[in-house]
Amino acid sequence: MNIVILAAGMGKRMHSALPKVLHPLAGKPLLSHVLDTARTLNPTRLVVVIGHGADAVRAAVGAPDVQFAVQHEQRGTGHALQQALPLLDTRVPTLVLYGDVPLTRAATLKRLADAAGTNGYGVLTVTLDDPTGYGRIVRDAAGQVVRIVEQKDASEAERRIAEINTGIVITPSAPLAGWLAALKNDNAQGEFYLTDVVGQAAAAGHPVVTAQPGDEWETLGVNSKQQLAELERVYQRNVADALLVAGVTLADPARIDVRGTLACGRDVFIDVNCVFEGDVTLADNVTVGPNCVIRNAAIGAGTRVDAYTHIEDAVVGSKAVLGPYARLRPGAKLADEVHVGNFVEVKNANIGVGSKANHLSYVGDADVGAGVNIGAGTITCNYDGANKHRTVIGDRVFVGSDTQLVAPVRVGHGVTIAAGTTVWKDVSDDVLVLNGKTQVEKTGYVRPVKIRK
Ligand code: UD1
Ligand code: CA
């Protein structure tokens, strides 16, 4: 089938410079959700009709499998679809989706397509408690769809119809050009309504069928920030449910946000208010404390991530302990059983098996061996104001508190670095290294006293 996504509208009620379909839901533009769902149906042609913010939309979602049709003036949904006509394969049906309706399930669209077959005209409908604002499905005494009437054009009686047009339709493609060309805009909004095509399809002898979504939220669109926020919660609740079904323990399924993919092993526990972005993998028995942010990371089995830990583009081995308040920045690679404690920042660094940096340190552009103890306040001085340099620390090194390692520098295996040492030259294996400093005592010293005015 061809799939056409209508996305030319402005989204005035978003009160934003960003085109409506680019507003993110779960960290991804609304339109990208629709495109990704469309792709699962293997469309012959995938066309997006753009108008408002066309350049921004193109730049954001452009891909080799996507073609764009520009609707310069928004003259209605029928007119929008007309712009895509030259890009369609007329031998297969055309499914029409909306760029601002992000959560429709692929299975629902498949059901609609199956119901319509190759020659039918299919409309995805839903029955609402409050149908206000939507196009109503008008059926005859035999239950056949006769036409769709917009709220603004509907009679009193028609407005009482609770079955509405979701806007998602599938149509044979060969007769479409003729049907769209025949549309008139003599309606309340002066627009060329796609909804008026259904009557022509029926008159031409195409069976008109309807299908319904499994859930109402599948057909909800975004016209305002309230609706965006509501759909974000629907999405997140669905993700949380899937995690629970897969056996993950969530302290509160209402307080987790996944903006990407989160893959979990067995017996994973996630405390409240954690945010996962990009691709995150948590192996078996990982526990994540409250208020952690984890982006593009793989965490090994049995590792404990304590509260307020931030992890980005990092790999962590098994049985490690991170945080509370640890920060792993891009390129941090921690082996098994590494401990990184509070206010320790690790960037572009490898830390070997069993090594510990428990308090207040910066380990950047470094290769740290196994069994190393990094004392509080240790800093790799990796930046000379122009370039970054590496610090290499051997196995079993004891780094005393408040040490500065001025890179580029290499420290051998088994070295002991005294507290407060500035290491600016390479150090051989198994030595004690310290800076010559003297401790002086002076008697008779008088502390200054605050002068009262
Ligand atoms: C449309 C349907 C209505 C249905 C409702 C469901 C028509 C005439 N009406 O109404 O029956 O109940 O959706 O939400 O089809 N768009 C364009 N170009 C245009 C106009 C619209 O690309 O010229 C796009 C919009 O960006 C949007 C979608 O089409 O993604 C729907 O447009 P919108 O104005 O929201 O349609 P409604 O009036 O709500
Ligand atoms: Ca709408």
Side-chain angles (χ1 to χ4, degrees):
M1 70 178 89
N2 306 294
I3 298 184
V4 178
I5 303 173
L6 306 188
M10 155 152 71
K12 205 198 275 177
R13 282 187 284 151
M14 298 297 275
H15 300 292
S16 168
L18 192 66
K20 177 165 77 171
V21 293
L22 293 187
H23 280 263
L25 182 133
K28 182 167 97 173
L30 290 169
L31 179 55
S32 298
H33 286 267
V34 185
L35 280 166
D36 287 348
T37 305
R39 287 183 173 114
T40 68
L41 300 171
N42 295 316
T44 0
R45 304 282 169 80
L46 182 52
V47 181
V48 181
V49 180
I50 52 178
H52 277 283
D55 292 340
V57 176
R58 239 188 245 272
V61 306
D65 63 339
V66 178
Q67 291 179 280
F68 294 96
V70 182
Q71 185 192 24
H72 293 285
E73 240 184 295
Q74 278 66 65
R75 301 171 66 193
T77 47
H79 180 255
L81 182 56
Q82 213 169 15
Q83 312 313 306
L85 282 176
L87 300 172
L88 304 183
D89 178 345
T90 53
R91 293 165 299 179
V92 291
T94 298
L95 175 68
V96 180
L97 305 176
Y98 287 179
D100 56 3
V101 179
L103 300 184
T104 320
R105 287 191 184 101
T108 297
L109 300 175
K110 188 101 193 350
R111 228 177 19 255
L112 177 67
D114 289 347
T118 51
N119 201 37
Y121 191 93
V123 184
L124 189 71
T125 75
V126 68
T127 301
L128 298 180
D129 292 338
D130 179 12
T132 310
Y134 291 96
R136 309 297 207 283
I137 307 293
V138 182
R139 293 175 185 267
D140 65 16
Q144 277 301 307
V145 177
V146 200
R147 60 190 192 105
I148 298 171
V149 60
E150 293 303 294
Q151 165 90 20
K152 288 179 179 154
D153 303 295
S155 66
E156 276 298 307
E158 285 167 337
R159 286 186 188 187
R160 282 195 293 273
I161 299 171
E163 186 185 9
I164 64 101
N165 170 33
T166 64
I168 294 173
V169 296
I170 188 161
T171 171
S173 301
L176 197 53
W179 294 341
L180 291 174
L183 290 179
K184 297 209 169 62
N185 65 348
D186 55 351
N187 50 52
Q189 301 182 84
E191 289 184 358
F192 296 96
Y193 291 164
L194 176 58
T195 43
D196 287 346
V197 163
V198 72
Q200 297 187 63
H206 295 271
V208 176
V209 301
T210 58
Q212 282 71 40
D215 287 288
E216 205 176 292
W217 47 256
E218 288 185 64
T219 65
L220 296 180
V222 173
N223 298 301
S224 65
K225 290 290 172 76
Q226 283 114 305
Q227 289 170 340
L228 181 62
E230 276 167 34
L231 284 190
E232 178 78 33
R233 285 308 102 205
V234 168
Y235 179 95
Q236 295 300 345
R237 184 64 216 212
N238 289 345
V239 171
D241 282 341
L243 290 169
L244 293 170
V245 166
V248 177
T249 304
L250 301 178
D252 183 354
R255 282 184 288 169
I256 174 172
D257 283 75
V258 179
R259 301 170 192 153
T261 57
L262 172 60
C264 295
R266 290 173 82 85
D267 297 303
V268 166
F269 171 79
I270 300 171
D271 214 324
V272 298
N273 296 331
C274 292
V275 177
F276 298 89
E277 297 184 332
D279 289 322
V280 177
T281 309
L282 307 178
D284 295 351
N285 296 299
V286 166
T287 68
V288 181
N291 300 297
C292 292
V293 178
I294 305 184
R295 177 184 304 138
N296 295 322
I299 313 288
T303 287
R304 204 177 87 210
V305 182
D306 286 341
Y308 294 99
T309 292
H310 282 227
I311 301 176
E312 178 178 5
D313 294 316
V315 179
V316 179
S318 60
K319 294 189 183 142
V321 180
L322 310 179
Y325 298 99
R327 181 163 185 219
L328 303 188
R329 292 176 52 207
K333 289 201 188 72
L334 277 49
D336 298 346
E337 292 169 49
V338 165
H339 291 197
V340 169
N342 40 237
F343 308 108
V344 173
E345 175 179 337
V346 180
K347 187 216 73 182
N348 191 26
N350 301 301
I351 302 186
V353 178
S355 291
K356 297 181 172 64
N358 275 327
H359 335 266
L360 300 153
S361 289
Y362 174 61
V363 181
D365 298 301
D367 297 294
V368 177
V372 172
N373 195 305
I374 295 179
T378 296
I379 289 170
T380 54
C381 309
N382 60 328
Y383 186 52
D384 59 15
N387 297 296
K388 302 270 174 73
H389 303 281
R390 253 183 129 75
T391 297
V392 180
I393 299 175
D395 297 338
R396 291 167 284 100
V397 169
F398 177 91
V399 182
S401 298
D402 195 26
T403 290
Q404 300 106 51
L405 296 134
V406 183
V409 71
R410 302 180 75 90
V411 175
H413 297 300
V415 168
T416 303
I417 302 174
T421 301
T422 301
V423 180
W424 69 83
K425 287 188 294 190
D426 290 359
V427 180
S428 343
D429 292 349
D430 300 312
V431 297
L432 168 68
V433 59
L434 51 85
N435 298 144
K437 293 183 189 175
T438 48
Q439 179 167 319
V440 178
E441 287 189 18
K442 290 189 179 174
T443 52
Y445 175 67
V446 180
R447 282 193 208 166
V449 182
K450 190 169 178 79
I451 301 162
R452 301 208 171 271
K453 289 177 196 151

